Amino acid sequence: MRAALVATAALALAAAAGPAAAEVWDMPMAYADGNFHTQNGKLFAQCVKTGTGGKLEIVVHGGGSLFKGNEIKRAVQTGQVPIGERLLSAHQNENAVFGYDSVPFLATSYEDSEKLWQAARPIIEKVLEQQNLVLLYSVPWPPQGIYTKKPLESIEDMKGVKFRAYNAATARLAELMGAQPVQIEAAELAQALATGVAESFISSGATGYDRKVWDYGIKYFYDVQAWLPRNYVFVNKQAWEGLDEATRNVMRACAQMAEVSGTKWSQVYAGWSLEQLRKNGIQVVAPSETLREGFRRIGETMTKEWLEAAGEDGRRIVEAYRAMK
Ligand code: PCA
């Protein structure tokens, strides 16, 4: 009897002093489960779990399955979920500065994209902070090119074409080409092509591969290398402040690692995905001189417009970036 009582008391004590129940954070991500951003997000989650000894578990929900791409930022801001990933340039209507990574031909290589990000980071962090968000890390998409069903000799060939856009810059590009912009998340891209809602779009080899666009009449990829847009992982500020210092340190360290590994992964995936496009019958081609000249002129207009819209913050980003080159 006495032994049983002691055993019960010991169990109760062990329960009280034992490891605290793991906190579980859902993390919505918008892109295909096999995509490097999503896979890298899972590595980040694993790092946090290991680093906190299982105290914080982050569960990644890829492919827009928990929240759709265009809902994720608001969901994190309002605390519906503590953490999430978003292509911030899709919110450049809120603040033009979010479009700094989609200014045509400002940074077209991984090296320049990294410099531009270092130049922009303090400002992006400040703007996100004002929106109740703490930035953790950012990973670039591969360089952006144009997918078409028909050969593209000059910008005029885009007249009247239904052009899928993923942010304000890509919609403006469509307008300036004389095409018809239609805003569609990557998760719905295949369906839009299949139903004829979109006939052409700008994106990376990665997204063309993820969505198997050769199955929907796409025949060409013009490797324009217009810019490298980025995804950003951020945390709701109250959720962040609710973590103890040790956990926040683990999160920061894992975020740094994720930024490095994700960037490397993006670079490798860039070449690999173009190879996959080719294997599936898409012609991956360099734009003609005429086409390049057309894009260059459109790029000049868009750069001017963005600098006007982004004001002082935009000017500071471009200045800091140019100083690094
Ligand atoms: N893929 C995403 C954004 C940029 C990219 O390469 C998309 O097409 O939505």
Side-chain angles (χ1 to χ4, degrees):
M1 177 72 185
R2 198 182 144 81
L5 259 182
V6 169
T8 312
L11 270 179
L13 264 179
E23 190 168 344
V24 178
W25 280 16
D26 287 315
M27 173 161 162
M29 299 183 83
Y31 300 94
D33 216 45
N35 181 274
F36 66 91
H37 284 292
T38 317
Q39 291 302 315
N40 192 52
K42 288 185 181 176
L43 283 185
F44 165 73
Q46 183 59 54
C47 175
V48 171
K49 188 175 175 182
T50 308
T52 60
K55 245 171 77 184
L56 179 57
E57 187 176 343
I58 296 176
V59 180
V60 168
H61 302 266
S65 57
L66 189 60
F67 285 94
K68 295 215 160 65
N70 59 6
E71 302 167 342
I72 291 175
K73 180 162 170 282
R74 177 133 297 268
V76 182
Q77 272 178 275
T78 56
Q80 286 171 272
V81 275
I83 186 168
E85 177 207 52
R86 181 58 172 151
L87 180 91
L88 269 187
S89 64
H91 298 281
Q92 76 187 95
N93 291 338
E94 267 171 42
N95 188 330
V97 87
F98 288 147
Y100 85 93
D101 61 17
S102 304
V103 176
F105 311 117
L106 182 59
T108 60
S109 65
Y110 279 93
E111 201 187 331
D112 284 352
S113 162
E114 177 64 28
K115 286 181 183 152
L116 183 58
W117 167 228
Q118 293 314 327
R121 186 169 190 143
I123 290 170
I124 297 295
E125 278 178 346
K126 176 195 75 180
V127 174
L128 289 178
E129 161 106 41
Q130 288 159 358
Q131 297 190 339
N132 206 38
L133 296 169
V134 177
L135 178 94
L136 281 184
Y137 69 88
S138 167
V139 171
W141 284 94
Q144 305 290 290
I146 309 270
Y147 288 88
T148 61
K149 296 183 169 183
K150 296 193 189 130
L152 192 56
E153 291 304 327
S154 74
I155 299 290
E156 279 67 53
D157 295 334
M158 290 301 293
K159 205 151 261 149
V161 169
K162 291 178 210 147
F163 191 82
R164 174 264 174 170
Y166 60 73
N167 63 13
T170 49
R172 182 67 181 136
L173 172 67
E175 279 172 13
L176 291 168
M177 294 190 297
Q180 293 174 32
V182 44
Q183 201 83 23
I184 293 163
E185 290 293 323
E188 274 93 50
L189 177 57
Q191 201 192 351
L193 292 169
T195 55
V197 169
E199 307 165 295
S200 174
F201 61 101
I202 182 168
S203 193
S204 55
T207 292
Y209 169 75
D210 291 344
R211 295 296 150 208
K212 315 233 170 312
V213 296
W214 51 85
D215 282 345
Y216 306 99
I218 294 291
K219 299 226 154 45
Y220 302 90
F221 177 76
Y222 290 90
D223 199 5
V224 177
Q225 310 195 346
W227 61 77
L228 287 77
R230 286 175 167 268
N231 285 355
Y232 301 79
V233 170
F234 38 67
V235 176
N236 171 279
K237 204 167 156 196
Q238 286 72 44
W240 178 254
E241 283 163 0
L243 298 174
D244 58 38
E245 189 57 28
T247 304
R248 284 201 293 253
N249 285 341
V250 169
M251 294 270 273
R252 283 196 198 96
C254 292
Q256 265 182 24
M257 267 181 15
E259 184 158 312
V260 173
S261 68
T263 304
K264 191 72 212 157
W265 209 335
S266 176
Q267 256 171 302
V268 172
Y269 205 82
W272 180 84
S273 57
L274 291 184
E275 204 40 57
Q276 300 309 306
L277 294 183
R278 280 191 200 98
K279 276 193 184 151
N280 286 284
I282 293 186
Q283 290 194 41
V284 176
V285 279
S288 68
E289 190 46 53
T290 318
L291 192 57
R292 262 214 298 275
E293 177 55 22
F295 281 122
R296 205 188 51 72
R297 265 185 284 122
I298 289 177
E300 270 174 16
T301 306
M302 287 177 62
T303 305
K304 203 170 132 263
E305 289 176 354
W306 180 77
L307 278 169
E308 272 162 24
E312 182 58 19
D313 279 345
R315 198 185 52 73
R316 276 171 46 208
I317 292 175
V318 173
E319 260 175 25
Y321 168 61
R322 296 239 153 96
M324 291 180 200
K325 297 206 11 130

